[in-house]
Amino acid sequence: MILCLVACSALAGFDTAPAQAALQRLLPRHQAQLTLVALDGQGGDRYEISGTAGHIVVAGTSPATLLAGVETYLEQVTHTSFGWPGDSVDRLPATLPAPTSSISRTAKVPDRFALNDVDDGYADAYLDWHRWEHKLDLLALHGINEVFMPIGTEEVYRRTFREFGYDDAQIRAWIPAAGHQPWWLLQNMSAFGGPMSPAQFERRTELAKKIVARLRELGMTAVMPGYYGTVPSGFKERHAGVSVVSQGEWVGFKRPDWLDPRDPMYGRVAAAFYRHQRELFGDSTMYKMDLLHEGGRAGDVSVGEAARQVMQALQAAHPDARWVILGWQHNPPTAVIDAVDARRLLIVDGLSDRYDGLDRERDWHGVPYAFGAISNFGGHTTLGANAGIWLSRFPEWHDKQGSALRGIAYMPEGSGTDPAAFALFTALAWQALPAEPAPWFVDYATYRYGGPDAHASAAWRMLATTAYAMPSNDWSEPQDSLFNARPDLAVRTAASWSPESMRYDAGRFGHAVCELLKVTPALRHTSAYHYDLVDVTRQALANQARLLLPRIGEAYASKDVPRFHALATQWMDDMGMLDRLLASEPHFLLGNWLSNARRAARSDAEAAQLEYDQRSIITSWGDRSGADRGGLHDYANRELSGLVSGLYAPRWQRYFDSLAQAMASGSPPAPIDWFAMEQAWAHSRDVQRTTPQGDAWQLANDVAAKLELCPRSGPSAADLP
């Protein structure tokens, strides 16, 4: 058997060493017990698992597919897993057990795409190579084979436009700081938080080279930004007679201009762009571009002819490359998809689970597309997804006659916040799944924590029927936290474009906290359990705020001063409890959100600039026009220890104080300039904790007791650790 596999490996034509190196990083104590064998890729990506105790054989069609096979072995045989975030592999036995029978899986779809255009901004634009390396390992473990990779494109633009009349300082002034660059690449805005220093361009370019090289080693595709016509200000003045279309505004920001792709100058700029991109990062087979994104103006330009020119420039630089387009709002326009060769297009749909009555073959005229979901906007910490819709709709769309579905697209705006959603969505591409969420989540609980446990199963069954069973035809994400909102007694959402009410039964959700608290102590020491306990408890506390705020409003309206004071105090106490709970888990620390930016800086002044980039994007987002008139404030709200205590709680305290003063004086509350308060916090430099503190189990138990989530008095003495 082994001799045959070795021979087949030689014929398959790829090196398994990159996958073996990943196992050395991920499973250093066990990687020697795993033999990786290459299979040929005829018939699509697949993997096979077999072997004996202490000698597990995983065969697959690429290094990344081998890692997907390893993850399946861990889940199905050892009942452990790698999540994003949290894992349970420290519960692996010294000798890896053999599967009771061989396991084989073949990918249902060839395109398994991951990462949103804005992920680099909302998930942390300052990750170093070590953290990116782990991110790529996790994507490979879960069967992804195409990854959007925009990092370093700023250097491509920098080199390109120095050929077209701009000096280095002018180009750098046009390009935003790293955290805001995704929206510049989308042609929504420019300049904010910049200019980046030459050292930052160099740092990100070298990081991008490593990311692209690793993706190639693993047999994955780096999906790079293409060039569709964005130009810096003053381009028309530098090139007399050139056709440039002003793009107006995007939620309070002036958009960069658009070079008409029909103009001969477009071909020259595109050729330079792709030449510099190739010199820096080599070639790819997939390039992502979205014409006229979120309200862009075509002017007198024929959109179809523009699309033909964009595709022509792409094909001239990269023959047979595919143009990847986001399915979002009215994108892509019919004129675009009808103008070019459909075989060279892939639409990654961001709305597959959001609306009912969709027919993507009709909408997109048979263009190949990937079933996609955006279950998290702005990197919200809110837990949940329309998972039941995924389970029913994906097979329905995949199996119907004439289906153009050829992939999945995992595209939360901020990745790494909902490990269950990540695990389930990526599983769609590899295995037959139950029609309802509960059975899958019960199995998930077993390998998430490293073994079976009745309380863990019960907890995830409750979560499966609440936060992960939200309906379509409205939203693709759950409600956000009112603790994170600009204060107002009538506020119903923190972000301008989030659900205004609960999307599931909060009471039933809260019972999941009680069940997690009762999980056997033997399973409580994994990072997966620790993260989930804090996350689910945090969510239960945030849900409670939606019940408490109307009561505060009623007390204020009736001028019941003692009741108003008592309820406002309860609100502030809950926020204090929330911050202490968050402080017990490293993924919920503001200090860790800021630390990568600080480490990337080459001077104290640059550290202040980069930290402001990080602080602003999760609060005011941009300048006053974008925050207030454009509604971007708190778009990327999230519950982090240090953010709750440093900004959210002081905002609410100031607001309650103004209401109390108004009741005492009989006059209207004094207006508060929230933007000024947010900007002062965003520019602050206070040092934030990067290591957790407190006992998460006890803190979660305290929350459960205060909210009266559990029957009787909560976990019994026998359940105490």
Side-chain angles (χ1 to χ4, degrees), residues 482-512:
L482 298 186
F483 288 139
N484 307 355
R486 279 186 176 178
D488 190 292
L489 291 176
V491 71
R492 299 178 67 187
T493 179
S496 298
W497 298 279
S498 287
E500 294 186 351
S501 59
M502 288 291 304
R503 296 199 62 220
Y504 54 81
D505 183 339
R508 180 166 174 77
F509 179 96
H511 293 324

Side-chain angles (χ1 to χ4, degrees), residues 442 445 449 451-463 511-521 523-524 529 715-716 719:
V442 170
Y449 304 140
D453 180 88
H455 293 296
S457 296
W460 279 99
R461 190 178 295 108
M462 292 171 182
L463 297 175
H511 293 324
V513 176
C514 309
E515 294 297 338
L516 284 177
L517 286 167
K518 294 178 181 179
V519 166
T520 180
L523 301 182
R524 290 185 200 163
Y529 174 81
S716 66
D719 293 315

Side-chain angles (χ1 to χ4, degrees), residues 544-684:
Q544 183 70 13
R546 290 184 174 268
L547 300 177
L548 181 55
L549 189 60
R551 296 168 59 201
I552 298 174
E554 291 167 2
Y556 177 76
S558 64
K559 308 302 181 187
D560 188 337
V561 173
R563 180 169 172 76
F564 172 83
H565 177 74
L567 292 173
T569 299
Q570 181 181 339
W571 178 280
M572 297 308 302
D573 287 347
D574 285 352
M575 294 194 76
M577 178 173 277
L578 173 62
D579 196 81
R580 291 190 297 275
L581 173 69
L582 296 168
S584 68
E585 165 56 42
H587 291 90
F588 292 108
L589 294 178
L590 174 66
N592 286 332
W593 171 251
L594 301 175
S595 62
N596 294 319
R598 285 178 169 171
R599 279 193 293 267
R602 302 294 178 90
S603 67
D604 187 64
E606 189 168 68
Q609 177 194 19
L610 304 188
E611 184 172 342
Y612 173 73
D613 190 31
Q614 290 291 80
R615 284 175 176 258
S616 63
I617 203 168
I618 59 174
T619 52
S620 53
W621 205 98
D623 55 24
R624 185 182 288 277
S625 177
D628 291 348
R629 183 166 60 85
L632 283 172
H633 68 85
D634 297 302
Y635 178 86
N637 72 84
R638 55 195 67 188
E639 290 177 337
L640 303 174
S641 177
L643 177 56
V644 172
S645 59
L647 177 64
Y648 295 160
R651 279 199 308 201
W652 279 102
Q653 187 63 67
R654 184 171 177 181
Y655 179 64
F656 289 145
D657 288 346
S658 74
L659 296 183
Q661 186 174 1
M663 284 192 291
S665 64
S667 57
I672 300 172
D673 186 342
W674 296 120
F675 178 79
M677 187 175 181
E678 293 149 6
Q679 281 289 284
W681 181 86
H683 281 291
S684 64

Side-chain angles (χ1 to χ4, degrees), residues 392-475:
S392 61
R393 192 167 290 177
F394 175 79
E396 176 190 344
W397 288 11
H398 177 269
D399 297 341
K400 74 178 180 180
Q401 185 175 5
S403 175
L405 191 158
R406 60 168 292 145
I408 61 166
Y410 178 70
M411 298 186 295
E413 288 195 346
S415 58
T417 62
D418 193 334
F422 174 58
L424 176 54
F425 191 85
T426 52
L428 293 172
W430 287 96
Q431 56 184 293
L433 298 175
E436 297 294 330
W440 184 89
F441 279 94
V442 170
D443 288 342
Y444 173 77
T446 297
Y447 59 76
R448 176 69 174 159
Y449 304 140
D453 180 88
H455 293 296
S457 296
W460 279 99
R461 190 178 295 108
M462 292 171 182
L463 297 175
T465 55
T466 53
Y468 294 97
M470 296 182 296
S472 58
N473 213 32
D474 191 3
W475 297 94

